[in-house]
Amino acid sequence: MLPTSDGKHWLRCGVGKERAPLGLSVSLRSAPQTSAGRPGLLSLGEPQATASWRGAGALSPCGLPAGSQSVILPVHNAEPWLDECLRSVLQQDFQGSMELSVFNDASQDQSAAIIERWKGRLEDAGIPVVIGGHDSPAPRGVGYSKNQAIAQSSGSYLCFLDSVFTSNGPTVIMPTWFCSRAWFSHVGPFDEGGQGVPEDLLFFYDHLRKGGGVVRVDQSLLLYRYLPDAATHSVLETTIWTHRVRFLEERVLPRWTAFTIWNAGRQGRRLYRSLTAEARRKVVAFCDVDENKIRKGFYCHEDSQERPKPRVPILHFRAARPPFVICVKLDLTGGAFEDNLRSLRLREGQDFLHFS
């Protein structure tokens, strides 16, 4: 990552082009600029970053030039799409030092042979390739494989090229992150719990806990290929939901003495029921535009052990008071929700946040 003028640490988020039924390829092309003038793929930063995007002449402690990039590629039974994935590494127009670090997590197909075949082609093009792995009877998981690929790599910066994506929604926009090794060492490693663990999401939350920020790059920088048998499907929707709710309670709700849930429908009620009793007591209202819900007047938490059972008012959004936790998905109402939100002239992060 490049240092930023505000001294914060940033995660830069590129937007995926499409989802298709095979693997993943990624582009570092031309160091695209964000509206703030920051070049980016997805990147996490460190306080004292001094290397440039295109590399520098000095050597890093690892031996590669300062500012060099390590592409981190965990592999498990990736034969059908691995050729195209590795070709995407070869075809970068990135102008700087770059290596590929591959960790083969007990693949039972021809992945190892494909990696060896591409090793020569990549190294002929000036991209060193480091290969590790194991042949145990069972894979040890994506978090373990990424940690191992990082440990054997040498670059000052890490670009994660992997097929991990939560089937119930991405961790940020896409989990193919670009970050400094120093910042990864400060935040990481990835959780190695294996199947069913959303290691990207947990890493991202730790990034935020340690002072990280977020910048989105509104350009298509990668192709995500969605596999029906991918490890992502082992991450249950309830697991993602539980982590998100707990993080909301940890990082946001302590700042508010009271708040309104925007959406009196299924998702808003689910959030309310998922909160701890202490957090539920801060919910002063639901708000909505549905006249039927508003006419009913309240939501009763029937499963509550409290007596009398809590009844939370349901208001029209214009009658409700911020701050809001918004449980309405964007781009589903033809712009009506977005127009309603803008009309209130609220400050995101202070007066509202999106939970859906």
Side-chain angles (χ1 to χ4, degrees):
M1 169 194 172
L2 296 180
T4 60
S5 59
D6 56 13
K8 289 187 176 180
H9 324 304
W10 296 98
L11 168 64
R12 295 207 183 109
C13 304
V15 180
K17 285 186 189 174
E18 61 181 278
R19 284 160 59 177
L22 285 176
L24 172 72
S25 61
V26 68
S27 175
L28 296 174
R29 294 183 179 279
S30 303
Q33 299 288 319
T34 68
S35 59
R38 303 184 181 99
L41 235 192
L42 316 178
S43 60
L44 294 168
E46 88 224 40
Q48 302 299 325
T50 56
S52 74
W53 172 265
R54 296 186 177 276
L59 294 181
S60 71
C62 305
L64 288 177
S68 58
Q69 322 298 319
S70 291
V71 177
I72 303 300
L73 177 60
V75 171
H76 174 68
N77 290 343
E79 178 182 352
W81 59 91
L82 191 53
D83 278 306
E84 187 169 358
C85 176
L86 293 170
R87 186 176 296 111
S88 78
V89 177
L90 180 65
Q91 292 177 344
Q92 301 301 319
D93 63 6
F94 169 70
Q95 298 176 17
S97 298
M98 181 171 68
E99 71 171 2
L100 174 66
S101 178
V102 185
F103 190 84
N104 187 0
D105 188 19
S107 294
Q108 302 298 312
D109 61 2
Q110 294 301 306
S111 291
I114 294 171
I115 294 165
E116 287 293 341
R117 186 169 69 245
W118 274 93
K119 176 179 168 66
R121 293 183 63 182
L122 288 162
E123 292 190 336
D124 286 346
I127 303 173
V129 179
V130 184
I131 301 173
H134 67 97
D135 56 3
S136 302
R140 298 180 185 175
V142 180
Y144 172 83
S145 299
K146 286 197 281 194
N147 289 336
Q148 293 299 309
I150 293 164
Q152 70 187 21
S153 69
S154 303
S156 302
Y157 300 92
L158 310 172
C159 178
F160 294 97
L161 175 55
D162 69 280
S163 56
V164 182
F165 181 85
T166 59
S167 58
N168 305 296
T171 53
V172 187
I173 300 298
M174 284 296 297
T176 307
W177 296 342
F178 172 81
C179 70
S180 71
R181 180 181 297 274
W183 186 248
F184 175 83
S185 297
H186 180 63
V187 175
F190 288 105
D191 188 292
E192 296 186 0
Q195 190 174 41
V197 174
E199 84 290 333
D200 279 327
L201 179 62
L202 298 180
F203 184 90
F204 176 64
Y205 283 165
D206 284 341
H207 159 70
L208 296 179
R209 288 184 182 105
K210 295 188 177 183
V214 180
V215 173
R216 191 174 101 170
V217 178
D218 291 315
Q219 292 177 274
S220 295
L221 299 175
L222 56 93
L223 172 68
Y224 188 87
R225 301 203 168 173
Y226 197 62
L227 297 162
D229 58 348
T232 177
H233 296 292
S234 70
V235 182
L236 301 178
E237 189 273 340
T238 52
T239 300
I240 298 293
W241 177 268
T242 299
H243 282 300
R244 293 178 64 213
V245 172
R246 297 289 84 85
F247 193 76
L248 174 74
E249 292 178 323
E250 172 194 335
R251 302 291 292 180
V252 178
L253 299 189
R255 306 198 311 257
W256 296 343
T257 58
F259 67 96
T260 299
I261 296 177
W262 191 318
N263 186 349
R266 181 190 305 176
Q267 198 77 341
R269 297 194 304 268
R270 182 188 183 192
L271 173 60
Y272 177 83
R273 294 193 300 269
S274 300
L275 296 172
T276 63
E278 179 183 1
R280 280 198 301 270
R281 285 191 284 271
K282 293 184 176 185
V283 179
V284 294
F286 289 89
C287 72
D288 213 294
V289 295
D290 187 319
E291 291 297 336
N292 291 327
K293 295 186 179 77
I294 296 167
R295 193 176 302 117
K296 182 178 178 181
F298 65 89
Y299 165 71
C300 181
H301 183 26
E302 297 289 352
D303 295 333
S304 175
Q305 301 302 309
E306 298 180 44
R307 295 294 182 272
K309 294 181 179 180
R311 289 190 172 195
V312 183
I314 301 176
L315 308 174
H316 190 275
F317 78 91
R318 293 199 182 280
R321 295 181 64 84
F324 298 100
V325 175
I326 296 176
C327 295
V328 180
K329 292 187 181 298
L330 301 177
D331 301 321
L332 291 182
T333 61
F337 164 73
E338 288 82 356
D339 288 344
N340 288 338
L341 180 59
R342 280 192 294 270
S343 72
L344 298 181
R345 300 179 183 236
L346 302 174
R347 299 161 296 173
E348 187 168 7
Q350 297 183 51
D351 298 323
F352 75 94
L353 65 85
H354 286 279
F355 190 77
S356 292

